[in-house]
Amino acid sequence: MEKQWTKDLVLEVYNKPFMELLYEAATIHRENHNPLEVQISTLLSIKTGGCPEDCGYCPQAARYHTDIETNELMSVSHVKAQALRAKSNGSSRLCMGAAWRNIQNNAEFDQVLDMVQTVNDLNMEVCCTLGMMTEEQAQRLADAGLYAYNHNLDSSEEHYKEIISTRGYDDRLKTIENASKAGISVCSGGIVGMGESDEDRCNMLVTLTNMNPQPKSVPINALVPIEGTPLAEQTPVPIWDMVRMVATARIVMPEAVVRLSAGRTNMSDEGQTLCFMAGASSIFAGDKLLTTPNPDINEDMKLFKILGLKGKAPFVDGDKPVSNDSYKNGSDAKGSVKWTRPGHSIERNLEAKEKAKAIRKDLAK
Ligand code: SF4
């Protein structure tokens, strides 16, 4: 029977003496994965900025004043060209992200479905991160050939309320459930360094371990504080915390791919090496992660060479989805789904919104 993880048990792991934690995580990693293989994924922003949500870390939220360049939805041919480029650089997975609150049944969603089919046909694992979705929308994505859906928990349920007020934790869990029901592999993790406690970090891991099925992929991000967002002044997370988080995720979810995601530009090669040792088995390649900076692929390949690591082939952990054209017969369902709104707002998010308004006003003069 699978071990039932509680907050106290996970905290016990997280707080082990560092060398013990690292050894245990590395051992479990070797028992469940080829420690010399690291999956290389590319994250492509297919629609950037202008998002109505208020995630306190995100420069794509329309309410904050950040200097990102906003873009409308990419064309299918542009996505194909980017996917081929990513593949030639060694990526076996393409993750497409759109700055939406939730998927809408409209022509843009149809276009994304065509992108999914096109990239799946290139023999790459296709992942999407498009916000909240219904069961029917998840099924259409699965029919188009979607391999995985990313929907991060970001933090514990308690701390989530301090970061985002425009939707609730239950909405997150519902979308993840909808992805699972459609047979899509779930990718869900969080961000470290948003002012949360160790308990929050461990509580988030408990929620992930209690999912049925557990996520196949768990991204661990270090916050990249962006000017103009409410979390701009946050102190960068120490590398030791990142290694602890990766190691703990590896121990409590032995079969998952643990992704060392945002924040790698602030990590030394040695810091990243400790993360690989602790069980990180995936990175994002490319100079940008949606809108935040990421190490150059050549730098990554240099480090892989030093460490004797190699990229992982696609579909090692699951079968390639069979695209079928039934995704084209989606319902024309109109009307919006009622997602929950906790009805409270976060002071620092409001402040950032007001500040942004004032700056925009100034610029318009
Ligand atoms: S994280 Fe996603 S949902 Fe939140 S503001 Fe950014 S783009 Fe929107």
Side-chain angles (χ1 to χ4, degrees):
M1 206 179 95
E2 239 171 49
K3 183 165 179 168
Q4 276 295 306
W5 289 100
T6 61
K7 183 185 77 180
D8 289 342
L9 286 173
V10 178
L11 258 176
E12 209 175 286
V13 173
Y14 183 87
N15 285 324
K16 274 182 191 234
F18 189 84
M19 300 309 278
E20 291 298 320
L21 177 64
L22 195 59
Y23 180 75
E24 192 180 325
T27 308
I28 289 180
H29 187 47
R30 274 156 179 69
E31 285 165 5
N32 291 277
H33 303 265
N34 177 347
L36 299 180
E37 274 184 358
V38 172
Q39 186 194 53
I40 305 172
S41 305
T42 291
L43 184 51
L44 179 66
S45 184
I46 55 171
K47 186 263 168 191
T48 312
C51 182
E53 300 289 83
D54 73 347
C55 309
Y57 50 81
C58 182
Q60 300 202 66
R63 65 191 67 214
Y64 310 136
H65 184 74
T66 58
D67 56 7
I68 59 152
E69 199 184 312
T70 59
N71 282 309
E72 292 307 313
L73 189 63
M74 255 183 203
S75 66
V76 177
S77 58
H78 194 164
V79 168
K80 185 175 180 182
Q82 295 285 335
L84 284 169
R85 188 165 157 240
K87 192 175 176 183
S88 69
N89 279 335
S91 284
S92 55
R93 178 181 285 213
L94 185 79
C95 182
M96 300 187 279
W100 289 335
R101 168 174 166 76
N102 57 281
I103 299 176
Q104 316 251 12
N105 293 315
N106 58 17
E108 291 205 319
F109 183 39
D110 293 346
Q111 195 169 318
V112 171
L113 292 163
D114 287 342
M115 293 174 192
V116 170
Q117 187 182 40
T118 303
V119 180
N120 187 48
D121 286 349
L122 298 177
N123 221 18
M124 293 180 86
E125 293 178 13
V126 193
C127 175
C128 277
T129 181
L130 310 169
M132 297 181 283
M133 68 175 172
T134 63
E135 214 178 313
E136 183 244 351
Q137 289 162 342
Q139 191 54 57
R140 289 184 71 199
L141 281 162
D143 290 343
L146 189 76
Y147 184 83
Y149 196 80
N150 165 268
H151 206 57
N152 287 332
L153 291 182
D154 290 346
S155 192
S156 68
E157 183 166 6
E158 296 70 32
H159 195 63
Y160 192 82
K161 299 188 194 103
E162 303 299 319
I163 306 296
I164 297 145
S165 77
T166 45
R167 53 169 193 267
Y169 213 64
D170 283 349
D171 296 324
R172 285 323 256 180
L173 297 174
K174 187 75 201 149
T175 288
I176 291 171
E177 193 188 318
N178 290 340
S180 285
K181 277 189 193 156
I184 297 169
S185 161
V186 168
C187 171
S188 186
I191 307 173
V192 184
M194 300 193 294
E196 73 287 342
S197 63
D198 290 348
E199 279 82 1
D200 287 315
R201 293 174 186 174
C202 293
N203 262 335
M204 179 188 82
L205 292 177
V206 170
T207 307
L208 292 170
T209 63
N210 284 335
M211 285 178 186
N212 187 14
Q214 283 184 356
K216 290 247 170 76
S217 153
V218 178
I220 304 291
N221 296 277
L223 176 76
V224 179
I226 309 280
E227 212 185 314
T229 63
L231 296 182
E233 306 299 328
Q234 215 56 47
T235 315
V237 61
I239 183 68
W240 308 111
D241 288 21
M242 281 301 285
V243 180
R244 276 192 184 278
M245 201 54 192
V246 167
T248 309
R250 164 52 63 237
I251 292 169
V252 302
M253 288 171 280
E255 288 169 16
V257 168
V258 178
R259 291 178 193 278
L260 186 57
S261 303
R264 284 198 303 122
T265 37
N266 297 330
M267 292 178 198
S268 65
D269 282 357
E270 294 83 354
Q272 291 186 60
T273 301
L274 283 174
C275 290
F276 291 132
M277 192 74 195
S281 50
S282 173
I283 57 162
F284 283 106
D287 58 356
K288 275 223 176 113
L289 278 191
L290 296 180
T291 56
T292 53
N294 198 47
D296 186 271
I297 183 75
N298 295 326
E299 293 301 311
D300 285 333
M301 290 307 107
K302 256 195 241 160
L303 183 59
F304 271 35
K305 197 164 177 212
I306 292 169
L307 302 179
L309 297 175
K310 58 178 192 237
K312 190 172 171 180
F315 309 113
V316 172
D317 301 322
D319 295 336
K320 181 181 169 190
V322 180
S323 300
N324 67 74
D325 279 354
S326 54
Y327 76 82
K328 292 185 172 150
N329 308 322
S331 82
D332 294 325
K334 294 278 183 284
S336 51
V337 180
K338 295 253 174 303
W339 308 106
T340 70
R341 273 176 192 255
H344 74 272
S345 42
I346 299 162
E347 218 167 277
R348 64 182 167 190
N349 293 26
L350 290 175
E351 271 167 29
K353 187 180 178 180
E354 287 311 311
K355 221 163 144 188
K357 255 197 215 156
I359 296 171
R360 282 195 193 106
K361 224 170 166 183
D362 262 7
L363 289 174
K365 275 182 194 160

